[in-house]
Amino acid sequence: MEKKFRKLLDRYRVTVGKGFSLQTHDPDDTGGLKLERAEAEALLAASTAILSEQQDKLYAQDRWAVLCIFQAMDAAGKDGAVKHVFSGVNPQGCHVESFKAPNALELDHDFLWRHAVALPRRGTIGIHNRSWYEETLVVRVHHDLLAHQKLPPSLITKRIFDERLEDIAAYERYLSRQGVVILKFFLHVSKDEQRKRFLERIEEPSKNWKFAPGDVAERVHWKAYHAAYEATIRATAAPHAPWYVVPADNKRFTRMIIANAIAAALEDLDLHYPEIDEPTRAKLAEARAALE
């Protein structure tokens, strides 16, 4: 990958949460790139090609697993990003899991359980569309949801969200020590751009299915959500589990940054196809002779 793109990634990567503020991140930023349609498509194609090549080696080597976490406000473009970024990846080595409100079975377990059972196997890429961070985001904003989580009342204290962030940070550190590469993406969309996308969903029949009246109601809690995201990123950004605060007002730029971030992380693993030892090489020669 070109150095200029790695330098651009540094602009959005957060590895130390102390002092983090969304105020310093512009949702409409494009890193100085004009990104005309043809140029944007070419850049995305180049990064997805690298991603495809590296994913093939990841699968063959069967040592590392990659977990990509996507969080965002509604209409920030998570689904579209997943669709375009992973367009060239072999489906056999990639799995997408979308997390909605926990069901009865999931509520009978700790909040990490349903995510833990969906973690990617070695050699594969796992994509979590929303994640364990919902417990420090939507539940923090809508505190009444705690009443449905079957927790002993004595455990629901003023520190519950700080404690959950501590648990998540510790769990991510554990996973990194087990060979799981963790990449977390917050698609940072502006309130005005979200409004435009909601109107598109209402006005275009082909997009009506994407719209839910509750999405508009959540806009009332915009500041509360941003405060929750800031607290979450401050507590869990780390070199082994970085956050990428990706500008999301320009979908083409969003997808390019995400694709480059994943491709760069895979390149840094120095992946390679398994080497064949001499006994295996001899068997291959025998097999070739038999076939010829």
Side-chain angles (χ1 to χ4, degrees):
M1 180 180 297
E2 296 182 35
K3 289 184 178 180
K4 65 177 181 179
F5 289 118
R6 283 187 172 268
K7 187 175 182 179
L8 186 60
L9 291 176
D10 290 338
R11 185 173 181 147
Y12 309 111
R13 185 190 295 111
V14 182
T15 58
V16 178
K18 185 177 181 180
F20 172 79
S21 173
L22 284 174
Q23 297 287 337
T24 60
H25 292 263
D26 181 6
D28 196 36
D29 180 31
T30 58
L33 301 177
K34 293 183 179 180
L35 285 182
E36 297 296 334
R37 184 181 185 88
E39 178 190 15
E41 290 180 352
L43 290 173
L44 180 60
S47 55
T48 54
I50 296 173
L51 179 56
S52 177
E53 177 186 354
Q54 293 295 323
Q55 186 257 344
D56 195 50
K57 294 178 181 178
L58 176 81
Y59 186 80
Q61 193 174 30
D62 197 25
R63 290 294 180 270
W64 296 92
V66 178
L67 174 62
C68 298
I69 289 174
F70 289 85
Q71 294 286 162
M73 300 290 285
D74 293 319
K78 294 194 300 349
D79 293 346
V82 170
K83 175 182 177 180
H84 286 82
V85 169
F86 296 95
S87 59
V89 171
N90 185 341
Q92 187 172 243
C94 184
H95 178 70
V96 181
E97 192 76 40
S98 295
F99 292 97
K100 301 183 183 299
N103 59 35
L105 173 62
E106 292 165 344
L107 288 172
D108 272 335
H109 292 81
D110 63 275
F111 78 89
L112 286 173
W113 177 80
R114 65 174 181 156
H115 306 285
V117 297
L119 287 173
R121 301 188 303 274
R122 296 190 191 282
T124 67
I125 298 175
I127 303 158
H128 286 193
N129 188 341
R130 302 194 186 280
S131 67
W132 41 58
Y133 285 110
E134 291 296 285
E135 295 296 330
T136 68
L137 296 167
V138 66
V139 180
R140 185 192 289 261
V141 173
H142 296 284
H143 204 275
D144 56 300
L145 292 175
L146 283 171
H148 304 287
Q149 295 193 349
K150 300 185 178 181
L151 288 168
S154 61
L155 298 182
I156 303 178
T157 68
K158 293 181 178 179
R159 292 201 70 251
I160 187 168
F161 297 112
D162 293 332
E163 291 168 350
R164 286 185 173 183
L165 288 170
E166 291 171 3
D167 293 336
I168 290 172
Y171 189 53
E172 290 180 349
R173 184 168 57 249
Y174 162 77
L175 290 176
S176 72
R177 291 171 175 169
Q178 303 304 310
V180 180
V181 177
I182 303 170
L183 303 171
K184 301 174 292 192
F185 299 96
F186 169 53
L187 278 59
H188 185 26
V189 69
S190 67
K191 193 173 185 180
D192 187 54
E193 179 63 22
Q194 187 198 58
R195 179 185 65 82
K196 292 177 183 177
R197 294 180 186 180
F198 279 164
L199 287 173
E200 287 179 3
R201 292 180 177 185
I202 293 172
E203 294 167 1
E204 295 184 29
S206 63
K207 294 184 178 180
N208 287 169
W209 66 274
K210 291 184 176 183
F211 183 77
D215 294 342
V216 174
E218 286 296 275
R219 282 169 62 84
V220 175
H221 306 290
W222 189 271
K223 290 184 178 179
Y225 272 111
H226 272 217
Y229 270 109
E230 287 182 338
T232 291
I233 294 172
R234 285 173 190 156
T236 60
H240 59 267
W243 277 97
Y244 286 87
V245 181
V246 186
D249 280 10
N250 185 311
K251 292 181 180 179
R252 296 171 189 163
F253 186 72
T254 304
R255 295 163 185 170
M256 189 198 73
I257 290 298
I258 293 170
N260 275 279
I262 301 169
L266 289 174
E267 281 186 334
D268 289 344
L269 295 179
D270 192 25
L271 300 168
H272 55 78
Y273 293 108
E275 297 180 1
I276 304 300
D277 57 23
E278 286 306 317
T280 304
R281 197 178 303 278
K283 290 181 180 179
L284 289 176
E286 292 176 5
R288 179 175 181 177
L291 290 169
E292 291 177 340

